[in-house]
Amino acid sequence: MMPDPIPTDLPWWKGAVIYQIYPRSFQDSNGDGIGDLAGITQRLEHVARLGADAIWISPFFTSPMRDFGYDIADYCGVDPIFGTIADFDALVARAHDLGLKVTIDQVYAHTSDLHAWFQDSRAGRSSEKADWYVWADPKPDGSPPNNWQSVFGGPAWTWDARRGQYYMHQFLVSQPQLNVHLDAVQDALLGAMRFWLNRGVDGFRLDALNHSMHDPQLRDNPPAPDDGKPRTRPFDFQIRRYNQSHPDVVGFVERIRALCDNYGAVFTMAEVGGDLAEKEMKAYTAGDARLNSAYGFNFLYAPALTPALVKDTVERWPDEPGMGWPSWAFENHDAPRALSRWCAPEDRPAFARLKMALLMALRGNPILYQGEELGITQVDIPFERLQDPEAIANWPLTLSRDGARTPLPWSVGAAQAGFSSVEPWLPHGEDHLALAVDAQEADPQSLLAFTRDLIALRKGHPALRHGALDVLIADEQRLMFRRRTQDQSLLCLFNLSNRVAEWPLEAAGADTVICAVNGAAPGVLPAYGALLIEE
């Protein structure tokens, strides 16, 4: 059966493969050891050859870099570390020439304390932007207004003598919380979004969106029951009921969508974490007037990739009217590399192929994090080289995010693996050099080549790109599901264990195999084997 053509009425992002770029670690073009926008432009052909539909660039905006760009001092500026606005324009032009869409981060929950808005707000209670941030009076004894705790440790409140009040910060002390309940703040944030839309941006990833609104009554969070997991931060001792996830976020979401609709097929994707993540993701993406997609942390921090985890996760997003469209990431700049979490070192080559096949077979948008196509592993960064403020503050109990942010290896024979001409801001992984892009380019059996083939397979089979998904088997070892459109049906079978699995009687045996992984064949399901079969 020939694949049915991809419907022309579907937006470009429906089922698109998105490649995340962490700009500090992608490519350094000016020899300062830090990646930059010109470096991204220089290496965009790698992403285009991979077959991705779009790139997502983590923050490159003006920032003191206390949280490496997620503390923004100017929403419409490019930090000199990364280049200039002209460099960004050149990046967009080159990406579009290569057929790549460009999506960028937006951080609306907080700014840097160096942002002009906050400088005005903290100047006094009668300043123009006095209520643009979350301020509160102390309790009669001078203590903070309530018991809210910050993600990075300690109270979510810091005293400011100029106003004689506390200001709220859900992350670092230097990241004051915006009062997004205020229409004027929403207008200003939408103005920043409009600035980038006018420069040709095709989409946005909305960072920590559910953190953007709090309970105006400032009620205390209730204590969290002890689930037996280690608690390394005061934040872990609370149910975050009131410091985030206010229902009014939905109204702001609808304003975002209305603005983006004015620019055509702009893709909007929320990052949502926390105890209510699934509920909020669905609320933010329901119907046709809200965001296009959302992704959470189902896989990013999971200790193991199991059939039960996949089944439970995907079945929460059925192909039903009004249901949002999911996106899936196994890795990103905040989470430990999946190969280091999910398999033994000796199994990594086989597991990397299985993992990639599964990601490309899921219903939704697969998000590849830079280096995932190479089989990059987590790097153990020594304390003296740590940059991550959360890891430094909670050492040694919090796993450093730096271990997933190390520079990408481009060339086996070049200095600093082709990333830079000087020592980079973070060290390379000792085992990464052998995984460099040029080494894998020369090997038709490499994970890089395999990933290209999988992305091409996904693009060529509408059932994989946008079809429904029905889980048929999810036992201790085996995961089997069907992807289908009206004219095409594919059976996707995975052995997620390191031992041979029994061939399921329900699986077809004589139909067309379109992808075989790690020696799998009809009737044979070896360790980490996978098959995609056209029925």
Side-chain angles (χ1 to χ4, degrees):
M1 180 189 300
M2 291 294 294
D4 51 326
I6 295 176
T8 56
D9 60 339
L10 286 179
W12 67 264
W13 53 262
K14 194 88 169 186
V17 176
I18 301 169
Y19 186 93
Q20 182 195 355
I21 293 175
Y22 191 71
R24 294 182 70 90
S25 299
F26 196 64
Q27 176 66 53
D28 171 22
S29 72
N30 61 358
D32 64 358
I34 298 172
D36 45 49
L37 295 179
I40 294 174
T41 304
Q42 176 186 332
R43 297 291 192 179
L44 277 177
E45 286 189 15
H46 169 73
V47 186
R49 287 198 304 272
L50 195 62
D53 300 283
I55 58 172
W56 149 32
I57 311 174
S58 293
F60 52 84
F61 314 106
T62 308
S63 167
M65 299 294 161
R66 292 169 187 154
D67 193 24
F68 297 100
Y70 285 91
D71 50 328
I72 295 173
D74 181 357
Y75 282 103
C76 300
V78 172
D79 195 273
I81 288 175
F82 298 121
T84 65
I85 196 70
D87 291 328
F88 180 78
D89 292 341
L91 187 161
V92 172
R94 179 59 176 153
H96 288 168
D97 286 346
L98 291 169
L100 292 167
K101 303 291 187 181
V102 178
T103 67
I104 63 174
D105 259 318
Q106 296 285 271
V107 185
Y108 291 159
H110 52 257
T111 69
S112 165
D113 60 353
L114 300 185
H115 199 294
W117 299 348
F118 188 67
Q119 295 298 307
D120 179 274
S121 187
R122 79 188 316 182
R125 301 190 191 194
S126 60
S127 65
E128 179 185 356
K129 296 179 174 59
D131 55 354
W132 278 40
Y133 291 80
V134 181
W135 295 93
D137 292 330
K139 290 181 178 179
D141 63 359
S143 59
N146 59 28
N147 70 349
W148 296 351
Q149 299 292 313
S150 72
V151 174
F152 290 167
W157 298 97
T158 290
W159 176 256
D160 189 280
R162 277 160 283 197
R163 288 186 50 140
Q165 289 182 303
Y166 285 92
Y167 68 85
M168 178 186 169
H169 52 88
Q170 301 207 55
F171 295 89
L172 293 176
V173 171
S174 57
Q175 292 172 304
Q177 180 79 15
L178 278 165
N179 182 12
V180 185
H181 288 283
L182 198 67
D183 286 344
V185 172
Q186 292 188 21
D187 293 343
L189 294 173
L190 293 173
M193 181 173 274
R194 189 178 292 108
F195 173 86
W196 295 107
L197 287 167
N198 289 336
R199 305 201 86 86
V201 162
D202 304 290
F204 300 98
R205 180 256 194 193
L206 302 166
D207 180 73
L209 185 61
N210 56 331
H211 282 271
S212 62
M213 289 191 192
H214 65 293
D215 170 35
Q217 298 181 49
L218 305 182
R219 287 171 282 189
D220 280 350
N221 279 331
D226 187 354
D227 60 3
K229 296 179 180 178
R231 294 175 172 180
T232 62
R233 308 163 295 178
F235 182 79
D236 300 325
F237 287 80
Q238 294 183 355
I239 297 173
R240 277 82 70 178
R241 181 171 297 165
Y242 295 117
N243 62 307
Q244 63 185 68
S245 306
H246 194 278
D248 286 354
V249 173
V250 169
F252 182 41
V253 158
E254 291 177 346
R255 294 193 67 191
I256 292 172
R257 175 63 184 270
L259 171 62
C260 290
D261 280 352
N262 291 335
Y263 286 80
V266 176
F267 176 57
T268 50
M269 175 178 65
E271 178 212 36
V272 182
D275 299 332
L276 302 175
E278 181 191 342
K279 177 182 176 182
E280 291 170 322
M281 289 164 66
K282 289 179 177 178
Y284 298 166
T285 59
D288 297 323
R290 299 178 185 174
L291 304 181
N292 303 123
S293 188
Y295 85 97
F297 299 92
N298 306 71
F299 297 113
L300 287 172
Y301 292 102
L305 182 65
T306 66
L309 171 66
V310 179
K311 179 179 188 294
D312 178 68
T313 301
V314 301
E315 287 187 342
R316 295 173 185 268
W317 292 88
D319 185 13
E320 295 176 354
M323 179 65 66
W325 182 257
S327 292
W328 306 115
F330 289 170
E331 302 183 8
N332 75 4
H333 62 290
D334 283 335
R337 291 283 188 177
L339 291 182
S340 299
R341 279 184 285 132
W342 286 345
C343 68
E346 63 271 18
D347 293 332
R348 284 172 183 166
F351 189 88
R353 292 172 178 266
L354 171 80
K355 175 179 73 72
M356 193 65 71
L358 175 60
L359 181 61
M360 291 303 157
L362 294 179
R363 176 180 176 270
N365 290 334
I367 304 173
L368 276 179
Y369 178 47
Q370 64 182 49
E372 195 169 357
E373 75 279 17
L374 306 177
I376 293 297
T377 53
Q378 185 80 1
V379 179
D380 186 13
I381 307 294
F383 181 79
E384 62 272 15
R385 291 295 305 270
L386 282 180
Q387 305 286 333
D388 177 13
E390 181 182 11
I392 293 171
N394 295 299
W395 176 267
L397 297 178
T398 296
L399 181 66
S400 170
R401 296 176 296 174
D402 292 336
R405 298 176 175 181
T406 55
L408 206 61
W410 292 100
S411 177
V412 172
Q416 304 300 336
F419 167 75
S420 178
S421 59
V422 300
E423 185 176 5
W425 74 290
L426 282 174
H428 287 281
E430 293 181 1
D431 61 336
H432 289 186
L433 188 62
L435 301 172
V437 172
D438 66 349
Q440 299 204 33
E441 287 277 9
D443 180 6
Q445 303 302 315
S446 67
L447 179 63
L448 175 60
F450 181 67
T451 302
R452 286 177 180 157
D453 290 344
L454 282 172
I455 294 175
L457 188 75
R458 181 181 173 88
K459 286 187 173 182
H461 290 79
L464 288 177
R465 189 174 177 98
H466 59 82
L469 187 154
D470 300 300
V471 177
L472 305 176
I473 296 174
D475 58 25
E476 183 183 356
Q477 293 177 271
R478 302 171 301 175
L479 172 70
M480 186 167 76
F481 54 80
R482 179 171 284 115
R483 298 297 312 277
R484 56 181 173 78
T485 59
Q486 183 177 353
D487 301 313
Q488 187 179 68
S489 179
L490 303 178
L491 201 62
C492 305
L493 180 59
F494 304 88
N495 177 4
L496 298 183
S497 76
N498 61 357
R499 59 191 189 280
V500 175
E502 183 179 349
W503 181 259
L505 297 178
E506 299 93 328
D511 295 317
T512 302
V513 174
I514 61 172
C515 180
V517 181
N518 294 329
V524 180
L525 204 56
Y528 301 129
L531 283 176
L532 275 62
I533 301 169
E534 187 165 7
E535 299 180 292

